[in-house]
């Protein structure tokens, strides 16, 4: 049997010349100490294979039509065997790609792997990172539900901030002047043809570079990269302790990739496919578009940035991200590689990861949004059944104050909590604020009658902390 | 010495070195190969790019849409009007549905506001109790005339042109996102 295979391979080598190079590639030596820190790259590629397989399958039923895309997704999820499963694995496969692109970037940054001679490995990797996010974002749009159409509108509003080219950018993003079926078709072409082809080409280049320069060895503190000597030292290292990639390193990649695929399957099984929300009907105004989880931090950042610098921020931040990510090999491509000798590198990773996590939490809490569904302040918390305080409580509930301000836990969190505002502000101060408004608060002068104003101020004046304390102690006594 | 030993006196050579003026054979072939490749590139690229970015080449589309008889609307009130945007593609279906906030200012004047918040584009809601437009995303607030009342929006709400013709209120649909 082995002889037959040998013969066949010999023939293949003779006729194609491909067998030897592949064997050579499989057996290329890698530094002996490269261990579990080196498995993220293949984890990304494995997740990408999951994406290709599930994505190609999904296109056999998905209809990229403005009027029918949503229906086709609903149909395949509810009626087609494996439909829900493929949609779920495609979603969690994308999530896995994003997570491991992040992990891979942090690992190569902390190990100083971007230094000489691997600058282009890093730079092509940065483009792969942005391409991955672009594929994920266009994929979210293909879901073509209510969130998708408003997400495109939100993107257009950001693009419109750009001077001179703003309108042109919006046109390119929407493929026209509004979000229409043409927008969806263009997003489909990008998500299904253009970006994946670019991604495959860039991955090939990236992997070629990895093979060309060899996998960067784990850094040793006190052993800086020197342009003149590095290549010889690396060759020496491989001679001394190099191990063939297959199977000495490949088994770890295989094991970790299997864990990743099983993780994607576990998420798909447990959480199911992303919910099919409302249809892409822009006439339904009760929409609160939110990006998928991997952009929640940026969504929070946009909400938190002060209004005065917002225009600049929307324009400059993406440029800052690109420049910042491309910068490392330009700033320092020789010298120490070990993280223990590069405190600034560690600090940058800690600050970036910490900021993203903090913003992510804020993005989930979203206290900056008015709460239209807030329940009115109940009678017992208003504290009066007749007279100006009771009337003021009604004004507070009816005139929209409630959407942004809360009293005793009822209402929104966009504006200050007014549970004890009677302690902080006088009658006149309250009146002035309501009539004139503030940075985020509308001026109510034209929207409220003098009588209503007087009663709501009375109501707010009566908001004092001890009241609630007395009430709750009364409640306890009653119990 | 006999004169026959002498080579016949030649006239000064006037042969033209064409390779200095034009190109030699090899260079000509290089130019042919590169030129042909470039030509193929242009032939396949131009229509494709022109098609994909065709929206830059066609005039912007607008249309007047009837949203109901004038007596349906009360002076001073703001209500939602639903209509279909006819400026998109014929298969837009559900995503061509639109809603605008229509306010009757007086006997014959209307204002129709696009629902897109000018901050980041989320759909604003008319809250009749507060008599304000409010945005669910970052708390942008507008007065009933569309001007900014509070929060982050940089501009007033986008307005569709309106007119009254034959007792019918009409809204002019067209570019919204590119107009801001």
């Amino acid at each position: 049997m082995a002889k037959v295979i040998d013969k066949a391979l010999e023939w293949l080598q003779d006729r194609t010349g491909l067998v030897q190079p592949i064997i050579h590639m499989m057996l290329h030596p890698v530094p002996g100490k490269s261990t579990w820190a080196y498995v993220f790259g293949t984890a990304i590629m494995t997740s990408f294979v999951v994406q290709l397989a599930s994505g190609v399958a999904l296109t056999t039923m998905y209809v990229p039509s403005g009027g029918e895309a949503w229906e086709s997704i609903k149909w395949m999820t509810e009626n087609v065997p494996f439909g829900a499963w493929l949609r779920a694995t495609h979603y969690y496969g994308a999530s896995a790609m994003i997570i491991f692109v992040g992990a891979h970037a942090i690992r190569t940054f902390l190990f100083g792997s971007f230094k000489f001679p691997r600058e282009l490995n890093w730079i092509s990797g940065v483009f792969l990172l942005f391409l991955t996010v672009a594929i994920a974002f266009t994929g979210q749009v293909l879901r073509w539900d209510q969130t998708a159409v408003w997400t495109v509108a939100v993107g257009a509003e950001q693009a419109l901030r750009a001077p001179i080219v703003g309108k042109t950018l919006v046109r390119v993003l929407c493929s026209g002047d509004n979000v229409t079926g043409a927008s969806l078709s263009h997003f489909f072409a990008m998500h299904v043809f253009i970006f994946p082809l670019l991604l495959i080409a860039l991955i090939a280049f990236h992997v070629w570079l990895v093979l060309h320069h060899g996998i960067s060895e784990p850094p040793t503190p006190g052993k800086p990269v020197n342009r003149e000597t590095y290549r010889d030292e690396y060759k020496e290292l491989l001679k001394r302790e190099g191990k063939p990639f297959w199977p000495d390193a490949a088994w770890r990649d295989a094991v970790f990739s299997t864990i990743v695929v099983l993780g994607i399957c576990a998420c798909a099984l447990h959480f199911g496919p992303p919910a099919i929300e409302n249809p892409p009907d822009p006439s339904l105004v009760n929409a609160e578009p939110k990006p998928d989880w991997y952009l929640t931090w940026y969504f929070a950042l946009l909400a938190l940035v002060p209004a005065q610098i917002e225009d600049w921020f929307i324009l400059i931040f993406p440029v800052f991200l690109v420049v910042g990510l491309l910068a490392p090999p330009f700033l320092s491509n020789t010298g120490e590689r070990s993280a223990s000798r590069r405190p600034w590198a560690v600090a940058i990773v800690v600050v970036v990861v910490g900021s993203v996590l903090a913003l992510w939490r804020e993005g989930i809490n979203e206290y900056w949004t008015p709460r239209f569904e807030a329940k009115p302040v109940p009678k017992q918390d208003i504290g009066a059944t007749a007279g100006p305080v009771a009337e003021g409580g009604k004004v507070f509930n009816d005139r929209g104050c409630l959407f942004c301000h809360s009293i005793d836990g009822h209402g929104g969190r966009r504006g200050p909590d007014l549970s004890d505002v009677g302690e902080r502000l006088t009658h006149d101060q309250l009146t002035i604020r309501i009539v004139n408004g503030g940075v985020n608060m509308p001026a109510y002068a034209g929207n409220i009658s003098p009588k209503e104003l007087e009663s709501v101020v009375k109501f707010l004046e009566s908001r004092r902390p001890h009241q609630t304390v007395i009430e709750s102690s009364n409640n306890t006594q009653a119990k | 010495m006999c004169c026959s030993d002498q080579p016949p006196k030649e006239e000064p050579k006037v042969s033209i070195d064409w390779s200095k003026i034009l190109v030699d054979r090899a260079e000509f072939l290089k130019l042919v190969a590169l030129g042909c490749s470039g030509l193929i590139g242009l032939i396949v690229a131009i229509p494709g790019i022109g098609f994909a970015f065709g929206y830059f080449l066609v005039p912007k589309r607008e249309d007047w849409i009837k949203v109901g008889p004038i007596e349906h609307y009360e002076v001073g009130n703001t209500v939602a009007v639903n209509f279909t945007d006819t400026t998109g593609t014929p298969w837009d279906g559900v995503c061509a549905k639109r809603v605008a906030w229509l306010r009757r200012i007086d006997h014959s004047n209307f204002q129709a506001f696009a629902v897109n918040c000018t901050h980041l584009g989320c759909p604003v809601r008319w809250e009749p109790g507060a008599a304000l437009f409010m945005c669910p995303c970052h708390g942008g607030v507008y007065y009933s005339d569309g001007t900014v009342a509070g929060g982050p929006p940089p501009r007033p709400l986008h307005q569709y042109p309106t007119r009254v013709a034959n007792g019918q209120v009409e809204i002019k649909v067209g570019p919204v996102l590119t107009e801001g």
Side-chain angles (χ1 to χ4, degrees):
Chain A
M1 185 64 196
K3 262 191 182 166
V4 177
I5 294 173
D6 276 354
K7 272 252 143 105
L9 285 178
E10 219 170 89
W11 183 85
L12 258 184
Q13 167 62 19
D14 183 65
R15 299 298 195 278
T16 67
L18 283 174
V19 178
Q20 278 302 336
I22 290 172
I23 291 175
H24 186 73
M25 195 173 74
M26 295 297 286
L27 297 181
H28 81 277
V30 297
K33 288 184 190 112
S34 27
T35 54
W36 289 103
Y38 287 76
V39 295
F40 297 132
T42 40
I44 301 168
M45 286 221 275
T46 308
S47 319
F48 184 51
V49 169
V50 171
Q51 293 310 87
L52 285 177
S54 53
V56 169
L58 286 169
T59 58
T60 59
M61 185 140 280
Y62 180 73
V63 183
S65 143
E68 287 162 329
W70 186 79
E71 296 283 348
S72 75
I73 292 182
K74 208 169 151 60
W75 175 266
M76 71 174 78
T77 310
E78 288 165 1
N79 299 308
V80 184
F82 291 108
W85 178 257
L86 282 174
R87 278 195 62 229
T89 48
H90 202 63
Y91 178 77
Y92 295 107
S95 303
M97 269 185 87
I98 301 252
I99 289 171
F100 291 115
V101 164
H104 189 57
I106 290 172
R107 201 283 292 162
T108 46
F109 182 67
L110 285 179
F111 277 30
S113 305
F114 59 85
K115 298 198 176 196
F116 177 88
R118 301 188 179 84
E119 299 94 334
L120 275 178
N121 296 40
W122 176 267
I123 290 167
S124 58
V126 171
F127 284 106
L128 281 167
L129 185 155
F130 283 114
L131 208 47
T132 307
V133 175
I135 293 204
F137 178 77
T138 49
Q140 191 202 331
V141 173
L142 294 199
R143 233 178 280 151
W144 208 238
D145 52 7
Q146 190 180 40
T147 299
V149 292
W150 287 112
T151 301
V152 180
V154 170
E157 227 30 90
Q158 289 178 49
L160 196 60
R161 305 287 179 104
I164 306 161
V165 293
K167 278 189 187 189
T168 310
L169 286 180
V170 175
R171 281 218 173 130
V172 172
L173 184 73
C174 301
S175 308
D177 292 298
N178 296 311
V179 182
T180 64
S183 324
L184 175 65
S185 305
H186 282 69
F187 273 101
F188 180 76
M190 284 192 278
H191 182 77
V192 173
F193 297 111
I194 299 168
F195 289 159
L197 283 175
L198 282 176
L199 195 71
I200 289 169
L202 254 180
I203 288 175
F205 178 64
H206 195 73
V207 171
W208 163 258
L209 289 178
V210 171
L211 291 169
H212 181 67
H213 295 298
I215 294 171
S216 73
E217 75 282 14
T220 317
K223 203 163 161 279
V225 174
N226 183 315
R227 232 184 269 261
E228 273 72 49
T229 57
Y230 178 80
R231 284 199 160 110
D232 292 335
E233 282 167 16
Y234 185 74
K235 264 184 207 148
E236 274 301 306
L237 177 85
L238 288 188
K239 255 191 215 142
R240 210 169 52 243
E241 52 166 74
K243 302 246 171 68
F245 172 73
W246 176 271
D248 287 59
W251 74 271
R252 283 197 191 86
D253 289 303
V255 169
F256 189 72
S257 288
T258 309
I259 295 171
V260 170
V261 172
L262 291 178
I264 292 170
C265 291
C267 286
L269 205 62
H270 185 72
F271 301 110
I276 313 162
E277 287 164 8
N278 297 320
D281 177 350
S283 72
L284 304 174
V285 287
N286 287 350
E288 290 178 44
K290 267 178 229 171
D292 276 352
W293 67 267
Y294 51 86
L295 285 177
T296 305
W297 64 275
Y298 188 56
F299 167 78
L301 195 56
L302 285 177
L304 293 172
V305 68
Q308 305 91 295
I309 59 160
E310 193 180 63
D311 271 356
W312 290 105
F313 182 84
I314 287 174
L315 295 174
I316 289 171
F317 189 74
V319 178
F320 166 77
L321 273 186
V322 175
V323 172
L325 277 166
L326 287 175
F330 293 97
L331 293 181
S332 142
N333 74 338
T334 54
E336 282 288 348
R337 282 184 53 208
S338 170
S340 63
R341 301 282 174 99
R342 289 163 57 225
W344 281 106
V346 178
I348 287 169
V349 169
V350 169
V351 168
V352 169
V353 173
S355 311
V356 167
L357 288 179
L359 284 168
W360 197 56
R361 219 192 88 188
E362 299 292 281
I364 290 169
N365 286 338
E366 307 188 80
Y367 56 79
W368 51 79
T369 63
R371 285 181 61 198
F372 296 108
E373 72 287 359
K375 298 229 165 61
V377 181
K379 287 240 162 58
Q380 68 266 25
D381 285 330
I382 290 174
T385 45
V389 171
E391 278 164 34
K394 195 170 152 24
V395 171
F396 184 87
N397 285 338
D398 295 347
R399 288 298 193 184
C401 313
L402 179 76
F403 299 143
C404 297
H405 298 283
S406 60
I407 283 175
D408 300 333
H410 305 278
R413 290 170 294 172
R414 169 83 175 128
D417 188 316
L418 300 181
S419 302
D420 54 2
V421 69
E423 287 277 285
R424 302 197 302 269
L425 299 176
T426 65
H427 183 279
D428 288 349
Q429 286 170 326
L430 281 167
T431 311
I432 289 168
R433 299 241 169 151
I434 294 169
V435 171
N436 293 335
V439 183
N440 288 321
M441 182 172 154
Y444 267 80
N447 292 31
I448 193 169
S449 72
K451 193 167 168 280
E452 284 174 324
L453 176 66
E454 187 56 31
S455 58
V456 78
V457 169
K458 284 258 164 62
F459 165 71
L460 291 174
E461 267 190 293
S462 69
R463 301 298 103 191
R464 284 168 198 277
H466 57 268
Q467 251 188 348
T468 36
V469 174
I470 291 166
E471 256 175 36
S472 57
S473 60
N474 283 347
N475 287 347
T476 352
Q477 278 170 2
K479 273 174 195 165
Chain B
M1 300 250 290
C2 181
C3 54
S4 63
D5 288 347
Q6 294 251 319
K9 212 175 180 183
E10 275 180 28
E11 300 227 340
K13 214 177 179 182
V14 284
S15 77
I16 297 163
D17 185 358
W18 284 103
S19 70
K20 289 241 171 76
I21 296 167
L22 292 171
V23 290
D24 66 16
R25 183 186 145 83
E27 273 170 1
F28 174 71
L29 294 181
K30 284 183 213 164
L31 284 179
V32 168
L34 289 175
C36 286
S37 311
L39 187 65
I40 295 171
L42 287 180
I43 289 171
V44 296
I46 289 174
I49 292 172
F51 181 77
F53 294 93
Y55 43 85
F56 281 111
L57 306 175
V58 292
K60 67 175 179 183
R61 298 178 61 182
E62 292 171 333
D63 206 357
W64 284 100
I65 310 252
K66 291 186 177 65
V67 293
I70 185 166
E71 57 271 18
H72 274 193
Y73 302 101
E74 219 174 291
V75 174
N77 262 13
T78 301
V79 292
V81 285
N82 287 279
F83 56 94
T84 301
D85 188 340
T86 48
T87 63
T89 46
W91 58 90
D92 277 1
V94 64
C95 75
K97 289 188 182 177
R98 297 281 183 273
V99 64
W101 296 110
L102 186 69
R103 171 176 179 241
R104 185 167 184 181
I105 305 171
D106 54 34
H107 177 66
S108 58
N109 287 304
F110 287 80
Q111 274 180 312
F113 300 103
V115 295
N116 310 63
C117 180
T118 59
H119 175 229
L120 285 175
C122 297
V124 298
R125 309 165 190 199
W126 171 250
E127 291 298 334
L132 296 166
F133 293 104
M134 295 182 127
C135 179
C137 285
H138 303 105
V141 190
Y142 305 83
Y143 294 117
S144 58
D145 64 353
T147 53
V148 178
R155 300 182 307 275
L157 286 174
H158 174 81
Q159 287 189 35
Y160 296 99
T162 58
R163 71 179 182 195
V164 179
N166 303 325
Q168 287 278 330
V169 184
E170 295 186 358
I171 289 180
K172 190 182 183 186
V173 294
V176 172
L177 292 178
T178 44
E179 296 300 316

